[in-house]
């Protein structure tokens, strides 16, 4: 969990991107070691296959490297990771400029026993003077058809490719409920939480947002800044939030989420 009043720097994006490549390198290394282990076991069980196992031990790493490189580069995941991080950086910078009296926290993990992973991740929490704002960021491009109750939304990419994305409104409402439940356990159940969805891509065009109860914003998002300012003004009679206490509780919740993390099985559900 990171907290700062300044925008994320380019080196932060580089670190995130390098972390992605580090995970890919570990995966490749594990595949190579697994292949060598199979060759060693084969040789131990049948020494007569020494020549075959030697060839396998040499060619297997080359095969792994080739296919992992092709998989990572050709799938577009590197571009997607970098693009998503830049989108989060844009939103982070925007939220940081609203007021020096507010605190921006990104990548917030909350314990959630109902989740298959044991936790729920929030892109951003903005601690305002009067309320908390949970911001779910999306970097999808193209024409997006919004609907509050649909499980997925239809997207037409600028390249004319059609696909469906998870409903971010449902996501952020779940995040709000989890955060509310966690804060209630720490005696902060009266804190107001406002969910927000922000599309960071300059090419995102959301249709149907007027029929959704959660506010949805696209770039340049000046209306997002004004919405938060107006919301804070409307809550002028409420007491100021204790930023220090909230940050302490969120840090404790992040540690609890880390301890309660469960291995995620894609084959379930």
């Amino acid at each position: 969990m990171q907290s700062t009043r300044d925008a994320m720097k380019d080196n932060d994006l580089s670190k995130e991107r390098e972390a992605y490549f580090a995970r890919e390198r570990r995966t490749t290394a594990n595949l190579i070691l697994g292949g060598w282990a199979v060759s060693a076991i084969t040789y131990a069980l049948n020494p007569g296959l020494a020549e075959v196992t030697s060839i396998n031990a040499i060619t297997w790493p080359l095969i792994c490297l080739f296919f992992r490189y092709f998989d990572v580069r050709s799938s577009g995941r590197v571009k997607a990771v970098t693009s998503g991080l830049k989108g989060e950086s844009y939103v982070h910078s925007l939220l940081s400029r609203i007021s020096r009296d507010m605190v921006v926290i990104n990548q917030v993990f909350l314990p959630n026993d109902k989740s298959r992973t044991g936790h729920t991740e929030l892109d951003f929490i903005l601690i305002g003077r009067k309320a908390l704002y949970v911001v779910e960021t999306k970097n999808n491009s193209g024409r997006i058809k919004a609907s509050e109750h649909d499980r997925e939304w239809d997207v037409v990419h600028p390249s004319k490719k059609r696909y469906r994305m998870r409903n971010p409104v449902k996501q952020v409402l779940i995040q709000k409920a989890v955060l509310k439940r966690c804060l209630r356990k720490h005696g902060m159940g009266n804190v107001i939480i406002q969910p927000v969805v922000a599309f960071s891509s300059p090419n995102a065009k959301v249709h149907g947002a007027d029929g959704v109860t959660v506010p949805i914003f696209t770039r340049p998002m000046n209306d997002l800044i004004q919405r938060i300012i107006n919301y804070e003004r409307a809550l002028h009679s409420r007491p100021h939030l204790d930023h220090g206490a909230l940050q302490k509780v969120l840090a404790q919740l992040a540690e609890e989420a880390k301890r309660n993390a469960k291995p995620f099985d894609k084959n379930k559900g």
Side-chain angles (χ1 to χ4, degrees), residues 86-267:
K86 287 182 178 179
E88 287 196 10
S89 177
Y90 176 86
V91 174
H92 190 286
S93 176
L94 187 83
L95 296 174
S96 299
R97 294 200 307 266
I98 296 177
S99 172
R100 295 186 62 84
D101 296 330
M102 299 184 182
V103 178
V104 182
I105 306 175
N106 75 294
Q107 288 185 311
V108 181
F109 289 89
L110 302 175
N112 182 8
D113 293 335
K114 297 181 180 180
S115 170
R116 286 179 292 179
T117 60
H119 68 262
T120 293
E121 181 181 359
L122 285 62
D123 289 336
F124 291 100
I125 288 181
L126 174 66
I127 305 178
R129 291 183 292 271
K130 305 290 186 176
L132 294 182
Y133 303 86
V134 176
V135 183
E136 172 68 15
T137 62
K138 295 296 180 184
N139 198 49
N140 302 75
S141 299
R143 187 177 183 275
I144 302 164
K145 184 179 179 181
S147 173
E148 177 138 359
H149 303 293
D150 289 346
R151 183 176 180 180
E152 296 179 323
W153 289 0
D154 292 319
V155 181
V156 181
H157 191 267
S159 65
K160 305 303 180 183
K161 177 182 178 182
R162 294 175 178 269
Y163 66 95
R164 296 176 68 82
M165 63 176 289
R166 289 180 62 189
N167 183 341
V169 169
K170 285 184 176 293
Q171 286 182 266
V172 78
L173 287 175
I174 290 174
Q175 293 165 8
K176 173 187 174 181
V178 173
L179 178 58
K180 189 74 173 179
R181 185 167 63 246
C182 289
L183 291 178
R184 189 180 296 117
K185 291 180 180 179
H186 287 264
M188 296 182 173
N190 62 335
V191 174
I192 293 177
I193 303 173
Q194 174 63 44
V196 174
V197 174
F199 281 88
S200 57
S201 170
N203 299 317
K205 306 295 180 184
V206 181
H207 300 268
D210 293 340
V212 177
T213 56
V214 173
I216 300 174
F217 301 95
T218 55
R219 292 177 71 163
M221 297 190 195
N222 294 326
D223 47 349
L224 168 59
I225 296 176
Q226 194 58 50
R227 172 69 72 92
I228 292 176
I229 292 174
N230 292 342
Y231 197 77
E232 289 283 312
R233 288 173 179 169
L235 299 174
H236 64 89
S237 61
R238 292 185 62 86
H240 278 61
L241 297 179
D242 187 335
H243 287 189
L246 278 167
Q247 290 183 80
K248 183 177 180 180
V249 167
L250 290 173
Q252 292 173 353
L253 290 170
E255 287 299 318
E256 184 180 344
K258 185 177 180 180
R259 291 194 304 270
N260 296 344
K262 307 173 188 175
F264 178 65
D265 186 353
K266 293 182 179 180
N267 296 319

